[in-house]
Amino acid sequence: IASSSLVSSGMSTQAVRLASWMSYRAMIVIGTLLMALGMWLNPAMPGLWLLLVPAFVRGIAQGMLNPSLYTLVLDGAPVNARAAVMAFNGMLQRTGQTFGPLIFGFVYLVGGMDSVFHIASVALVASAAWIFLGVPTRAEARP
């Protein structure tokens, strides 16, 4: 768990450099796909130490996702409402952290641990497709 956080922290420091090569939307799509890959790899690892591979992949993904998501959320918010928008964003994240374990606990009961990782991977790929096909943000519409 710590290895993923350390990789994520290091990757987050490179967000500005990545943003000079690609749009924030592209960073979110790639980060989401990397997160899906990390989830998919988890049950395939034959040993405890090899779980570092998907943890590193998920850390890279998280390091791309967080700065990009926060940038686009802030960019889309009116200046006088940014605090409220970020508070609402935080509330939505906590809602997901509350209900995600309940939903995936049910998935675990029905299909086992591998199903949890595989269904999460499929959901992440679907999310990446939805984001990829989405409407351009204000940040992307600027020249």
Side-chain angles (χ1 to χ4, degrees), residues 5-115:
S5 296
L6 290 171
V7 171
S8 175
S9 298
M11 189 67 184
S12 292
T13 65
Q14 301 305 308
V16 173
R17 182 175 290 158
L18 284 173
S20 69
W21 296 341
M22 64 183 84
S23 70
Y24 288 112
R25 182 188 305 271
M27 288 172 58
I28 292 170
V29 169
I30 291 168
T32 304
L33 291 173
L34 284 172
M35 186 68 75
L37 175 64
M39 289 289 185
W40 193 268
L41 287 173
N42 227 61
M45 294 296 110
L48 185 61
W49 286 103
L50 288 175
L51 286 173
L52 287 172
V53 173
F56 286 159
V57 172
R58 287 192 313 272
I60 292 168
Q62 198 67 32
M64 290 178 78
L65 285 168
N66 280 348
S68 303
L69 287 169
Y70 291 143
T71 298
L72 289 182
V73 167
L74 281 173
D75 186 66
V79 174
N80 62 344
R82 285 186 174 172
V85 169
M86 289 307 289
F88 185 70
N89 181 52
M91 183 191 72
L92 289 177
Q93 288 179 356
R94 299 310 165 263
T95 301
Q97 289 172 348
T98 299
F99 290 107
L102 295 172
I103 293 166
F104 283 99
F106 177 74
V107 170
Y108 171 73
L109 285 174
V110 172
M113 187 58 79
D114 288 0
S115 296

